[in-house]
Amino acid sequence: MELLSLSPPGWGGNLLRGLVNSLQIAFGAFGLGLVIGLFGAYGKLYGGVVIRDLLGIYTTVIRAVPELVLILILYYVGTDLINKAAEAMGYGRVEISGVVAGIWVLGIVQGAYSTEVLRGAIQAVPKGQMEAARAYGMPALLVMRRVTIPAMMSFAVPGLANLWLIATKDTALLAIVGFSELTLETKQAAASTRAYFTFFLAAGALYLIVTLLSGVVFGRIEKWARRGQPSLRAGQSR
Amino acid sequence: MTLRALLQPHRIVMMALFAIFVIWCALSLRWDWIPQYAPLALEGLWRTIWILIVTCILGFLLAIPLGLAQAIGPWYLAAPARVFCTVIRGTPLLLQIWLLYYGLGSLFPQIPWIRGSDLWPYLRQAWPYAVLALTLSYAGYEGEVMRGAFSSVNKGQLEAANSFGMPRFTMFRRIWLPQAIRSVLPTLGGETILQLKATPLVATITVVEIYAVSSRVRSDMLIVYEPLLLLALFYLIIAGVITLLFRKFENSVPSR
């Protein structure tokens, strides 16, 4: 147990630092994924044929190739591009921080999934609502902000909650490219003390706490997004 | 997709661009390592597929009692099943794999009767831990799906079977399970692709599957993109095959 204490002889501090790093990346990636997903969903629904096909390829490829492989490809492509750009502008090679790289890589992966979630949610909004707003001469952006997004929230939240959980768990994959998030910190702590079970179980508990707390938070959000709507259960009977 | 849909002008342009990209890759990147590594790659590919099939089947068999326990079991069966599913779904798979491999792997040598047993030569290798971790993970995710499937089967049919005096096990085998499986088939396809995408994680515990082969090529030949692109292509093809197989499955069972 004293192995887990927060001060230096124990490794608890390292684990918590790893957890903070993990959460930071998960937050960033989830946010970036939402932005990509919103544009992607609109592109898929209202875009031209070319945009629709390109987005189709993006979501299909990202969802069929393992995250680990994508992380490696995107990591190298990203650093290569940035270094080329930096050299072209006359700077030397740039060292990219792990957090930024992690957010960029996981964000693009998340974007593909949230494109699908948001597209489904937008489609679930009754068309008449958007048409009514358009008929009153609302500009497209205002329709999106005032009508589409609030109305689709209740359909999107369960899917987005799932994506958030995937984001927190996918941060563990960054351990393989050597970024010191929770899983890698745990492995290092375990390897240097030989107390594998203690540390892996502790890390598992931390992840589980994050998951369970997120469940509570998203439950609240869903309730808020559903305010004023009749309960879905009421109409169902089997 | 019909041929006509494929031959729209913008799609022809996109395919041409893609073909140019492929030709550019073929000409300007290094591929001379392929003959040398092809046997190893085939072995790795086979191991990936083998692990995928074995863990999916075992995991699914484990998921049936897990789902059943949660759907109708008494609380002393339902509660552990629910905890198991929550824990598996709430922690990263990589952590589970490392916990089993490093944790159990460091525990077993200290127990004399395990060292002396016939299983010891296997327990010293990495793949039993990989199979165990992936099986448990698949069972955890699938158990949750099966719970929904079991409770969605029409109660009237079960009551009818019951009133004809069908034994409970026959009822389960003939009516309940087939309908539950039919209703999860689409989800099952998706979950199997997720499982495919989880297999490269076992490369981190020294199981040499296709991802591990590509990492080896990368470090041996000091190249980055070539093996990764080829690897992504392999996974795309396997995922496509899984999708087709499940579509065929779904079409072969009569739907309501």
Side-chain angles (χ1 to χ4, degrees):
Chain A
M1 252 300 131
E2 63 263 32
L3 285 173
L4 288 175
S5 73
L6 291 179
S7 46
W11 292 79
N14 288 35
L15 290 197
L16 285 186
R17 211 162 321 130
L19 178 67
V20 170
N21 273 337
S22 286
L23 287 180
Q24 223 177 342
I25 291 179
F27 258 120
F30 185 64
L32 181 60
L34 272 186
V35 173
I36 296 177
L38 199 59
F39 281 107
Y42 267 88
K44 262 198 166 180
L45 288 174
Y46 306 110
V49 275
V50 179
I51 290 184
R52 249 185 290 171
D53 277 0
L54 285 179
L55 285 169
I57 293 172
Y58 164 62
T59 50
T60 315
V61 169
I62 295 275
R63 292 189 304 165
V65 176
E67 281 82 357
L68 189 54
V69 179
L70 289 174
I71 285 173
L72 287 175
I73 294 180
L74 290 173
Y75 183 79
Y76 290 122
V77 169
T79 45
D80 262 11
L81 282 182
I82 288 183
N83 275 322
K84 287 238 170 72
E87 271 166 30
M89 285 189 293
Y91 300 107
R93 287 185 74 80
V94 199
E95 203 53 45
I96 294 155
S97 85
V99 175
V100 174
I103 290 177
W104 140 258
V105 167
L106 287 184
I108 289 188
V109 176
Q110 286 268 310
Y113 288 91
S114 49
T115 296
E116 293 297 320
V117 169
L118 293 177
R119 185 179 63 110
I122 293 176
Q123 272 179 327
V125 176
K127 259 207 154 65
Q129 297 188 6
M130 288 181 253
E131 280 166 4
R134 291 272 284 285
Y136 276 104
M138 258 195 202
L141 266 181
L142 198 64
V143 177
M144 177 168 151
R145 191 161 59 84
R146 285 253 181 92
V147 181
T148 316
I149 291 182
M152 78 170 186
M153 273 294 267
S154 62
F155 302 110
V157 168
L160 293 181
N162 234 342
L163 280 185
W164 161 251
L165 293 183
I166 292 176
T168 55
K169 286 185 288 176
D170 273 359
T171 56
L173 298 179
L174 295 172
I176 292 170
V177 290
F179 178 65
S180 62
E181 45 63 67
L182 180 51
T183 304
L184 189 61
E185 291 278 0
T186 311
K187 195 189 172 198
Q188 284 164 351
S192 51
T193 57
R194 320 288 302 166
Y196 288 103
F197 266 113
T198 321
F199 282 109
F200 282 124
L201 288 180
L206 285 179
Y207 277 114
L208 206 57
I209 290 171
V210 171
T211 307
L212 295 178
L213 278 184
S214 311
V216 174
V217 171
F218 273 101
R220 285 262 175 86
I221 295 179
E222 195 179 340
K223 218 176 204 173
W224 168 81
R226 266 195 211 296
R227 69 203 184 284
Q229 287 183 13
S231 160
L232 282 183
R233 280 172 190 281
Q236 264 177 1
S237 58
R238 235 185 207 281
Chain B
M1 201 182 290
T2 59
L3 193 64
R4 212 186 154 75
L6 219 54
L7 287 181
Q8 288 169 22
H10 76 279
R11 286 198 169 132
I12 293 176
V13 172
M14 279 164 66
M15 280 189 280
L17 285 177
F18 183 70
I20 291 172
F21 175 71
V22 170
I23 293 170
W24 177 81
C25 283
L27 292 181
S28 70
L29 300 178
R30 280 187 61 187
W31 300 106
D32 52 336
W33 47 270
I34 289 184
Q36 190 191 339
Y37 284 95
L40 193 63
L42 275 184
E43 210 173 295
L45 196 62
W46 167 241
R47 198 159 293 158
T48 295
I49 294 173
W50 176 85
I51 288 180
L52 177 69
I53 294 175
V54 167
T55 57
C56 280
I57 292 175
L58 290 180
F60 187 71
L61 291 180
L62 202 56
I64 292 173
L66 277 172
L68 208 57
Q70 287 185 72
I72 52 153
W75 65 267
Y76 52 84
L77 287 179
R82 184 159 310 142
V83 169
F84 174 80
C85 287
T86 312
V87 169
I88 291 285
R89 284 155 27 105
T91 54
L93 178 57
L94 187 61
L95 193 76
Q96 296 163 16
I97 293 177
W98 285 358
L99 171 71
L100 289 177
Y101 180 65
Y102 294 112
L104 287 183
S106 68
L107 193 68
F108 281 160
Q110 297 165 12
I111 306 174
W113 65 266
I114 289 185
R115 284 194 76 130
S117 75
D118 293 340
L119 283 177
W120 179 240
Y122 296 103
L123 290 178
R124 283 174 59 189
Q125 294 168 6
W127 65 266
Y129 301 96
V131 169
L132 178 64
L134 286 177
T135 301
L136 290 182
S137 151
Y138 194 75
Y141 283 93
E142 217 49 53
E144 198 71 15
V145 175
M146 287 312 285
R147 174 183 64 90
F150 278 127
S151 37
S152 76
V153 170
N154 198 335
K155 291 283 171 297
Q157 299 190 17
L158 301 180
E159 282 160 13
N162 220 349
S163 67
F164 274 107
M166 203 184 250
R168 283 182 70 178
F169 187 73
T170 316
M171 184 173 90
F172 175 72
R173 190 167 55 87
R174 289 236 188 109
I175 298 172
W176 213 359
L177 188 61
Q179 290 201 51
I181 288 179
R182 184 194 298 167
S183 73
V184 295
L185 265 183
T187 346
L188 216 56
E191 295 282 338
T192 307
I193 289 181
L194 287 183
Q195 182 79 349
L196 166 72
K197 300 200 305 177
T199 53
L201 293 182
V202 303
T204 60
I205 57 168
T206 73
V207 176
V208 184
E209 40 70 86
I210 186 74
Y211 173 80
V213 174
S214 93
S215 321
R216 199 161 129 201
V217 173
R218 277 195 304 140
S219 58
D220 284 0
M221 307 295 293
L222 300 175
I223 46 180
V224 176
Y225 292 113
E226 292 86 344
L228 281 177
L229 286 177
L230 208 56
L231 184 65
L233 188 68
F234 272 135
Y235 281 113
L236 271 175
I237 293 172
I238 303 177
V241 170
I242 294 174
T243 315
L244 285 181
L245 278 183
F246 270 93
R247 194 172 295 163
K248 221 172 159 188
F249 257 165
E250 276 172 56
N251 287 339
S252 70
V253 296
S255 58
R256 272 175 277 185

